[in-house]
């Protein structure tokens, strides 16, 4: 199975499909990531706040793959936004991952109501980490249009990606359009939703039946066709295999339109609103 790559604005490329490990327990992460790598995944998305970077690192080590063959993303902990802390936090991630650099390092949340709203300074610190060679690319996650405008205006540097919630019940068009307008790529988290009924929606199940596919495969294919980068989470090997097997069928224009019409706007959002989310963990 050949996964397409997408060219980023810094000249690098990223696999369009991968594995997300949000909410995968640390003691299960090594096995899940190892199985994903065996199945053919070559893009792993983790974060400092997931507290499972060590499991990802152990799986990478045991897989024995060439470093350039696996794309690894991690994200800055909400407790580490102080620019003076960013470097040490990434160095700790690299230690846990067993790497000398990550491929992509993101600001996990903008936290506009915290740190006196200085997320542009945090962004500037990440650019410095890229220039120092600790990460190949830098980007953001959960940034709203005005958040993007601010960091680009204050630093002159456009993120490589903006990782945001996207699924048919919440297409997040404002953030998506702003991301693309700046020349960044959209990464979709929770591409299958979070149990809000997306996988059992009659529109989705009818399209899945027409193609002899699962509802999850239909939703993932829809987002791949839109040009988004996706990394669904699963802890079961059969589901890992199923999610990856989406590159040998196509949705019709009418089916794409029908899926887009499921958008509920803000009521369809399943995660926190980035304008108000202000949680800072104790670690």
């Amino acid at each position: 199975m050949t996964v397409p790559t997408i060219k980023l604005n810094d000249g690098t490329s990223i696999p369009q499909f991968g594995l997300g490990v949000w909410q995968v327990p640390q003691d299960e992460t090594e096995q899940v990531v190892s199985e994903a790598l065996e199945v053919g995944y070559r893009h792993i998305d983790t974060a400092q706040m997931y507290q499972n970077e060590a499991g990802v690192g152990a799986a990478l080590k045991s897989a024995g793959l060439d470093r350039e063959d696996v794309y690894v993303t991690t994200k800055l902990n909400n407790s580490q936004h102080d620019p003076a802390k960013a470097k040490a936090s990434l160095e700790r991630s690299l230690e846990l991952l067993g790497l000398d650099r990550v491929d992509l390092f993101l600001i996990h949340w903008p936290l506009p109501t915290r740190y006196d709203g200085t997320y542009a300074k945090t962004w500037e610190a990440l650019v410095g980490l890229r220039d120092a060679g600790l990460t190949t690319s830098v980007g953001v996650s959960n940034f709203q249009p005005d958040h993007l405008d601010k960091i680009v205006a204050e630093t002159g540097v456009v993120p490589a990606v903006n990782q945001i919630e996207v699924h048919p019940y919440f297409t997040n068009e404002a953030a998506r359009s702003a991301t693309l307008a700046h020349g960044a790529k959209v990464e979709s988290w929770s591409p299958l939703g979070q149990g809000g009924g997306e996988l059992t929606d009659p529109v989705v199940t009818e399209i899945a039946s027409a193609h002899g596919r699962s509802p999850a495969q239909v939703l993932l294919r829809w987002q791949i066709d839109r040009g988004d980068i996706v990394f669904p989470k699963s802890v079961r090997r059969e589901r890992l295999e199923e999610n990856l097997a989406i590159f040998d069928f196509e949705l019709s224009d009418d089916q794409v339109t029908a899926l887009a019409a499921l958008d509920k706007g803000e009521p369809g959002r399943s995660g926190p609103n980035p304008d108000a989310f202000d949680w800072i963990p104790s670690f």
Side-chain angles (χ1 to χ4, degrees):
M1 189 70 65
T2 301
V3 174
T5 59
I6 287 183
K7 192 77 169 288
L8 300 178
N9 58 25
D10 59 7
T12 65
S13 295
I14 183 172
Q16 194 179 4
F17 184 91
L19 174 71
V21 295
W22 177 59
Q23 290 188 328
V24 178
Q26 172 72 299
D27 59 357
E28 297 178 23
T29 302
E30 180 179 357
Q31 179 180 344
V32 171
V33 175
S34 292
E35 290 189 344
L37 294 171
E38 289 172 7
V39 167
Y41 287 67
R42 292 296 183 267
H43 175 179
I44 309 297
D45 181 277
T46 185
Q48 294 172 356
M49 288 196 293
Y50 299 170
Q51 296 186 274
N52 57 17
E53 290 172 310
V56 173
L60 293 173
K61 182 178 180 179
S62 63
L65 297 167
D66 290 342
R67 174 65 187 91
E68 60 270 21
D69 290 339
V70 184
Y71 195 100
V72 180
T73 298
T74 195
K75 311 177 194 74
L76 184 72
N77 192 324
N78 286 357
S79 65
Q80 304 298 305
H81 269 227
D82 182 338
K85 296 181 178 181
K87 183 171 186 282
S89 84
L90 179 51
E91 289 174 335
R92 176 56 177 161
S93 288
L94 294 176
E95 180 182 346
L96 293 170
L97 291 165
L99 303 173
D100 60 3
R101 63 170 175 82
V102 287
D103 297 283
L104 180 61
F105 191 43
L106 309 180
I107 298 178
H108 204 152
W109 290 89
L111 305 178
T113 64
R114 293 281 196 157
Y115 303 104
D116 297 321
T118 58
Y119 52 87
K121 293 296 184 183
T122 306
W123 172 238
E124 188 174 42
L126 262 65
V127 173
L129 297 178
R130 180 197 65 186
D131 294 345
L134 297 179
T135 179
T136 302
S137 300
V138 286
V140 296
S141 181
N142 300 299
F143 272 49
Q144 300 278 61
D146 58 325
H147 303 149
L148 291 170
D149 291 344
K150 180 175 180 177
I151 63 172
V152 174
E154 293 193 19
T155 69
V157 181
V158 177
V161 305
N162 184 18
Q163 186 177 124
I164 55 177
E165 179 182 351
V166 179
H167 47 80
Y169 280 4
F170 184 61
T171 58
N172 209 351
E173 287 304 328
R176 211 172 160 273
S177 296
T179 300
L180 297 173
H182 276 292
K185 295 300 183 182
V186 173
E187 291 193 325
S188 164
W189 62 258
S190 284
L192 304 178
Q194 292 187 33
E198 296 88 347
L199 294 173
T200 56
D201 189 287
V203 171
V204 177
T205 57
E206 181 178 342
I207 294 172
S209 178
H211 287 279
R213 299 286 178 157
S214 70
Q217 287 175 315
V218 167
L219 297 191
L220 294 171
R221 182 75 228 189
W222 173 71
Q223 293 185 64
I224 289 289
D225 287 346
R226 280 159 53 96
D228 295 351
I229 301 157
V230 298
F231 29 85
K233 182 197 81 173
S234 180
V235 297
R236 295 164 50 195
R237 188 183 184 99
E238 62 269 27
R239 195 70 71 196
L240 290 169
E241 294 173 344
E242 175 188 296
N243 288 345
L244 185 59
I246 58 172
F247 298 103
D248 57 351
F249 77 103
E250 296 181 358
L251 302 175
S252 70
D253 290 344
D254 287 347
Q255 290 170 339
V256 169
T257 299
L259 290 169
L262 296 176
D263 181 37
K264 298 180 179 181
E266 192 61 30
R269 187 192 293 274
S270 59
N273 188 311
D275 287 321
F277 188 61
D278 66 352
W279 178 66
I280 297 179
S282 59
F283 55 88

